[in-house]
Amino acid sequence: MRDNFDHCLAAVLKHEGGYVDDKRDPGGATNLGCTKKVWEEWVGHDVTKDDIRALTVADVSPLYKKKYWDVVKGDELPSGVDYVMFDCAINSGTGRAAKIAQKICGVAQDGAIGPASLASIKHICEAEGVRYFIEEYNDARLRFLQALPTFEHFGKGWSRRVNEVNIGALDLARLGDS
């Protein structure tokens, strides 16, 4: 939903945390959820781990808006749905975020949110309720994460994150209804 970006970004960044460089994580050096590779693509040149460590919310906010929020059409999604899809896009990629939504809606899973996907998401949310969509989405997201080989190491944190995103999204949906 338009005007939810800042709130959703703050919620995402609580889960992403600060600087980490866990050898078991294929993302490598990461700060505020932004990997070295993603930051290099964004700025158009190589960066050091120290550059990643120095990232601020002000640095990464435009990247998250353009590469994730705008790609999943956050401004056009119902309140709460915007958050679950944005968080998933950052954590698992925009294509995965779109495919989960598309599967729930029963439309072609092409990994891109276009007019047909948006209309289907809105239809499901009107017919079944935003709560239904949010819970179905997070259930599907968790099943995807559980199938990853790195779930053994990161699964407890990922499961907690999906649960907390579910709670936060339902709160946003309630606020959007009022």
Side-chain angles (χ1 to χ4, degrees), residues 20-60:
V20 293
D21 191 10
D22 189 327
K23 301 298 181 216
R24 297 168 290 192
D25 184 349
T30 304
N31 191 10
L32 301 169
C34 184
T35 65
K36 184 176 182 290
K37 178 182 176 189
V38 167
W39 190 248
E40 287 174 339
E41 290 169 0
W42 180 252
V43 298
H45 57 80
D46 290 344
V47 299
T48 67
K49 289 182 180 184
D50 286 338
D51 294 328
I52 297 303
R53 189 184 315 273
L55 290 175
T56 66
V57 174
D59 293 330
V60 299

Side-chain angles (χ1 to χ4, degrees), residues 143-156:
R143 284 191 302 274
F144 166 75
L145 293 170
Q146 288 168 334
L148 295 175
T150 49
F151 188 80
E152 183 179 322
H153 178 70
F154 298 107
K156 187 176 179 181

Side-chain angles (χ1 to χ4, degrees), residues 68-74 77 82 85-86 89 94 97-98 113 118:
Y68 301 96
W69 181 265
D70 290 348
V71 173
V72 299
K73 308 289 191 259
L77 294 169
D82 52 3
M85 290 186 63
F86 179 54
T94 57
I113 300 296
L118 271 174

Side-chain angles (χ1 to χ4, degrees), residues 101-113:
Q102 291 165 332
K103 184 172 184 176
I104 292 167
C105 294
V107 299
Q109 295 176 48
D110 64 2
I113 300 296

Side-chain angles (χ1 to χ4, degrees), residues 112-158:
I113 300 296
S117 294
L118 271 174
S120 294
I121 291 167
K122 290 176 182 177
H123 174 75
I124 293 285
C125 289
E126 290 170 8
E128 301 291 337
V130 173
R131 179 184 186 94
Y132 167 84
F133 187 92
I134 289 169
E135 290 179 344
E136 288 293 311
Y137 192 95
N138 283 316
D139 287 347
R141 178 181 178 189
L142 187 56
R143 284 191 302 274
F144 166 75
L145 293 170
Q146 288 168 334
L148 295 175
T150 49
F151 188 80
E152 183 179 322
H153 178 70
F154 298 107
K156 187 176 179 181
W158 288 345

